[in-house]
Amino acid sequence: MDGNGRWAEKRGMPRMLGHAEGGKTFKKIVRHCKDIGIKYVTLYAFSTENWKRSEEEVSGLMKLFKQHINEAKGYAKEKTRIIFLGDKAPFDSEIRSGMLELEEKSAEFDRFTVMMAMNYGGRADIVNAAKRAASMLCNKEIKPEDFDESLIGSLLYTGIAPDVDLLIRPGGERRLSNFLLWQSAYAELYFSNTLWPDFTVKELDRILEDFSARNRRFGGY
Ligand code: FPP
């Protein structure tokens, strides 16, 4: 969800207002994904590097996360599974318990899953999966020959979710910035100059149309 800060700065507003506006876009886009039958949508809300931002911005973002988490607690009727990707440990106890509650209470839903990458990094995801595999090996739950792509894939934060089909980066940058590195091995990439708060359902539909016309060969021919 890139470009919130620039969106606000362009209007002479504090960066936090851009994040708040980005939160509104998040809700519209997730609602649309559900309506058109997408099964999994993942949004990058906070990276392992984002802690380096000013104290004011980090604490503002934490406040915004709390608001969204509290709001999401009232969404049970939406039958949406919510999963948080990343290490929850650095968040305060209110955010951590809110994330766990949302994950536990929505675990039974399987038609539509929203994954929120929070304190997420693609490399950290792979390291964490490798650590989990190593501890399974030490506990003799697996043997060295059991190490394969499906084992590592299943131990990533995304677990049983399928690989990424389409990765959209708004905000004008042309890079992955450590997002779902393993899971995006064969993803179709789409880069948009639109700053996230300005991103619309219409633009998403145009991108999906472009995506459906692409010829995906997965390394074959
Ligand atoms: C990146 O834009 C955006 C973030 C670091 C925060 C995104 C968070 C939200 C939209 C809030 C919604 C959260 C939830 C959990 C629903 P940037 O600050 O890097 O923008 P810039 O590139 O213009 O500086």
Side-chain angles (χ1 to χ4, degrees):
M1 297 190 276
D2 199 15
N4 295 338
R6 276 167 288 156
W7 184 92
E9 280 163 13
K10 262 173 54 181
R11 289 162 176 76
M13 296 169 165
R15 292 174 61 83
M16 261 326 292
L17 282 182
H19 294 308
E21 205 58 31
K24 292 183 198 163
T25 304
F26 158 84
K27 289 201 280 187
K28 282 185 227 161
I29 296 298
V30 169
R31 152 78 43 215
H32 185 63
C33 288
K34 186 172 185 237
D35 289 348
I36 63 176
I38 286 175
K39 292 201 67 167
Y40 294 87
V41 60
T42 308
L43 294 110
Y44 208 170
F46 196 79
S47 78
T48 44
E49 286 70 39
N50 285 152
W51 297 104
K52 293 183 210 146
R53 296 207 171 175
S54 72
E55 215 252 88
E56 187 191 354
E57 187 168 347
V58 172
S59 67
L61 280 167
M62 295 304 136
K63 219 169 123 191
L64 189 62
F65 293 157
K66 282 177 197 174
Q67 281 168 15
H68 280 280
I69 287 171
N70 284 328
E71 208 180 310
K73 286 182 189 165
Y75 287 170
K77 61 178 187 321
E78 294 287 347
K79 298 197 185 326
T80 295
R81 182 162 189 191
I82 302 173
I83 296 174
F84 292 92
L85 314 180
D87 180 10
K88 296 180 179 69
F91 292 104
D92 73 22
S93 61
E94 185 183 340
I95 296 188
R96 280 202 316 271
S97 61
M99 293 198 284
L100 287 171
E101 184 183 329
L102 287 175
E103 286 183 333
E104 279 161 21
K105 291 204 170 144
S106 69
E108 60 179 301
F109 305 128
D110 58 3
R111 291 182 60 181
F112 178 58
T113 300
V114 177
M115 295 191 279
M116 296 302 300
M118 303 255 290
N119 189 37
Y120 178 84
R123 287 182 173 178
D125 194 359
I126 296 167
V127 169
N128 183 60
K131 276 190 189 158
R132 289 177 64 191
S135 104
M136 287 163 78
L137 187 68
C138 290
N139 297 335
K140 303 211 175 345
E141 291 163 47
I142 52 169
K143 296 192 283 298
E145 54 273 30
D146 295 329
F147 273 77
D148 61 10
E149 292 185 12
S150 86
L151 174 77
I152 297 294
S154 72
L155 297 174
L156 296 168
Y157 288 117
T158 39
I160 42 82
D163 278 352
V164 176
D165 288 314
L166 170 63
L167 188 150
I168 304 171
R169 176 161 190 161
E173 309 291 359
R174 266 68 176 149
R175 54 176 173 259
L176 297 182
S177 296
N178 207 11
F179 188 54
L180 298 178
L181 296 179
W182 174 289
Q183 298 88 335
S184 297
Y186 287 102
E188 294 295 323
L189 307 180
Y190 200 99
F191 297 99
S192 160
N193 290 329
T194 307
L195 303 176
W196 175 250
D198 290 330
F199 196 82
T200 58
V201 159
K202 217 166 141 194
E203 179 165 6
L204 177 59
D205 283 341
R206 270 202 304 271
I207 296 171
L208 289 169
E209 216 172 291
D210 177 287
F211 168 76
S212 62
R214 291 194 191 184
N215 178 12
R216 304 187 73 203
R217 289 187 297 277
F218 299 95
Y221 57 86

